[in-house]
Amino acid sequence: MNHEHGARYVRVIVDRAIHRELDYSVPENLAGRVGVGSRVRVPFRDKSALATVVTILEHSDAKGIRPIEAIIGEAPALSEHVLELARWIGTYYCCPIETVMRSMLPQVIRRAEVSWKKQLFVQPGRNIDQGEIEKLRRRAPRQAELLEEISKLWKNRYARWSSCGKPLLITRRCARW
């Protein structure tokens, strides 16, 4: 991550087909968090637009520079090497850098659709005895096989972490994407 503590300006590629890079100032409260490859929200014409930081600048000669509005995400979405590759692709295939950037960024990052993703975790919280598995095997052989496998995994790997005796638990944990 190429953060510049004293960065005062950034040069960005806006996610619109304007065929040029634009300079924006960096507010003091964001200066330590913005780096090359960061996704940012910037004022663009009379609206806001998403953009990717391609250069950190100490000064800019551009006229009418406005400040970036926000940093999107926790870390830069693209490395400097990937940005270099994007420039090469644009030159080699004679296409605008904005087009190349659209194909390099996953849609969730490109559209800044930051949301909660859900993951399910299954764990047997108690020992399942062989009698229960055999009883289940007569009714539902596949389920019995899976229960036996989960039970073995639990005993071998995870039993030392839990001392409580609970039935099979399905828990949902959320994390920021």
Side-chain angles (χ1 to χ4, degrees):
M1 199 181 308
N2 187 16
H3 291 317
E4 298 288 336
H5 188 298
R8 299 190 54 210
Y9 300 95
V10 290
R11 183 160 290 152
V12 304
I13 295 172
V14 178
D15 293 1
R16 310 265 172 96
I18 60 170
H19 309 289
R20 64 189 176 109
E21 298 171 3
L22 301 174
D23 291 354
Y24 287 87
S25 65
V26 179
E28 200 171 305
N29 63 325
L30 300 178
R33 294 179 40 219
V34 70
V36 172
S38 292
R39 294 287 288 164
V40 292
R41 186 175 304 281
V42 296
F44 182 73
R45 297 188 178 135
D46 58 345
K47 299 179 184 175
S48 285
L50 295 170
T52 304
V53 175
V54 292
T55 309
I56 302 291
L57 305 167
E58 284 304 314
H59 68 279
S60 173
D61 296 328
K63 304 284 187 261
I65 293 179
R66 296 191 283 173
I68 62 173
E69 297 171 346
I71 298 174
I72 309 297
E74 301 296 317
L78 299 173
S79 70
E80 290 186 53
H81 294 296
V82 173
L83 289 170
E84 187 179 328
L85 175 62
R87 289 186 191 284
W88 179 86
I89 290 170
T91 302
Y92 186 83
Y93 290 102
C94 300
C95 67
I97 189 72
E98 297 92 343
T99 304
V100 178
M101 296 298 281
R102 266 195 306 277
S103 41
M104 291 192 132
L105 290 167
Q107 182 174 336
V108 69
I109 293 173
R110 193 172 63 242
R111 294 185 180 176
E113 294 169 342
V114 178
S115 64
W116 291 96
K117 65 178 178 178
K118 294 176 184 159
Q119 297 174 319
L120 294 179
F121 296 86
V122 178
Q123 67 183 44
R126 67 177 173 85
N127 290 331
I128 313 291
D129 69 25
Q130 198 59 35
E132 281 182 87
I133 293 173
E134 290 307 320
K135 192 175 173 184
L136 182 60
R137 196 179 310 278
R138 289 189 289 271
R139 272 194 345 253
R142 182 68 183 129
Q143 285 84 348
E145 186 181 322
L146 289 171
L147 183 59
E148 191 170 35
E149 191 63 34
I150 289 170
S151 183
K152 283 179 188 174
L153 282 171
W154 180 257
K155 285 178 190 173
N156 294 339
R157 295 185 184 171
Y158 308 112
R160 67 181 182 276
W161 296 344
S162 175
S163 59
C164 61
K166 295 180 183 171
L168 266 175
L169 299 175
I170 298 177
T171 57
R172 182 173 292 169
R173 295 182 192 163
C174 296
R176 290 293 274 178
W177 170 255

